[in-house]
Amino acid sequence: MEYMGDCNVGDFFKWSVLTGSIFAVLLMMVSFDSPRENNSLEASANMHLINDTEIPILMYHHFTEIESETSSTTVTVERFEEHMSALKDAGYNTITDDQLYRFLHFDEALPEKPIMITMDDGYESNYIHAYPILKELGMNATIYLVVNDQEKTPGTIPHLTWEQTKEMYKAGVMDIQSHTFDSHYYIESETDEGPALITIGKNEDKEVYLERIRKDLTQSKKIIESQLQKEVVTITYPYGATNEDVINIAKETGYKLGITVQIGTNNSESSPFKLKRLNVINQYDGGTLLNKIEGLE
């Protein structure tokens, strides 16, 4: 063996073992630190994506096969199909109210280019016309029911039956949420009239008004949950009208989201009870609708 100066073989062996042990410890430290560093970078990247996510919510009501019946709240079946096909071809992915809730409250990631399709009031045309189109395209939407109008024709347009509603929900195509129990009308106040949800009636005081709203939101939620065996998380305000009293009652009665008709898109900084939408009209072809959505972002 080559001469090692003052170090004998035993000392050299001890020195080698010690050096190797130190090296092994350092290697383990690097190995343990790397995943944490990678996870941190990955979490940062995911948070960046969450913060950058914009979520348009489209608003529809009723569908018809007759062009002359279209209005600001009525779209032809042909046009609706064109809209949905345009969204799908452009890479949009439809999401549910539950997904939006988890995104806003828990930062859960959404699919790329998320979008919500919503339908107010609960018209039977949602079942007859919109449901088959969405099912064929592999998309979903949410219907917001005026619960007291179920199984009825309060005006000239019939509303959904519970049997139709259950079929769409169980198929995973239509989510079902609340548009109040029976507050989709205008009410007289002492000086004027306004949406029932935000107006103290001329024969009411503040306490009676608040109890009326609390009873309505509670009843709507309980009936839908009983009929469909699901949690109701969203209240969509009739006419888009809300105030702090309504929002506080919605929170107290178990709602997690509130949707208006204010024009705009939504992101991680949006108020969960003041979400924005875009009303879709029959004059928009597929390309126009995509441009309108992009203009919101």
Side-chain angles (χ1 to χ4, degrees), residues 19-30:
T19 303
S21 298
I22 293 172
F23 178 75
V25 170
L26 290 173
L27 185 60
M28 289 173 65
M29 290 175 65
V30 171

Side-chain angles (χ1 to χ4, degrees), residues 127-295:
Y127 173 79
I128 295 171
H129 299 303
Y131 170 50
I133 291 170
L134 292 166
K135 189 174 184 180
E136 177 68 25
L137 292 172
M139 302 171 73
N140 56 53
T142 301
I143 299 174
Y144 301 105
L145 300 180
V146 179
V147 175
N148 195 46
D149 289 341
Q150 283 285 95
E151 313 262 358
K152 300 177 183 177
T153 305
T156 60
I157 305 173
H159 284 242
L160 291 161
T161 67
W162 281 113
E163 183 179 353
Q164 292 166 335
T165 305
K166 290 174 182 177
E167 179 188 332
M168 292 186 291
Y169 173 68
K170 289 178 180 178
V173 177
M174 294 291 196
D175 192 12
I176 307 297
Q177 302 287 339
S178 174
H179 200 31
T180 74
F181 174 74
D182 188 23
S183 292
H184 203 319
Y185 61 94
Y186 271 61
I187 189 173
E188 289 188 15
S189 68
E190 290 292 342
T191 58
D192 201 353
E193 67 173 16
L197 206 61
I198 63 168
T199 304
I200 299 176
K202 63 180 181 180
N203 297 319
E204 295 178 322
D205 59 20
K206 182 68 174 288
E207 185 177 349
V208 171
Y209 157 72
L210 293 176
E211 183 56 32
R212 170 168 61 83
I213 301 308
R214 184 174 289 105
K215 181 179 178 181
D216 182 289
L217 298 192
T218 299
Q219 195 170 5
S220 175
K221 191 175 192 295
K222 284 185 175 180
I223 291 173
I224 297 172
E225 290 179 342
S226 176
Q227 287 283 347
L228 301 179
Q229 299 298 300
K230 71 175 295 289
E231 182 183 9
V232 171
V233 298
T234 306
I235 175 68
T236 297
Y237 315 112
Y239 314 106
T242 191
N243 57 32
E244 289 307 309
D245 289 326
V246 172
I247 291 173
N248 288 335
I249 291 172
K251 292 177 181 178
E252 291 169 10
T253 51
Y255 292 91
K256 306 296 193 303
L257 302 173
I259 300 181
T260 72
V261 296
Q262 184 178 351
I263 298 174
T265 188
N266 307 281
N267 55 43
S268 60
E269 301 300 316
S270 296
S271 168
F273 283 88
K274 295 181 181 179
L275 298 171
K276 301 174 182 179
R277 288 195 285 181
L278 171 67
N279 185 48
V280 183
I281 58 177
N282 198 64
Q283 285 79 359
Y284 297 166
D285 60 20
T288 301
L289 176 60
L290 294 178
N291 289 336
K292 291 286 184 181
I293 293 170
E294 291 171 5

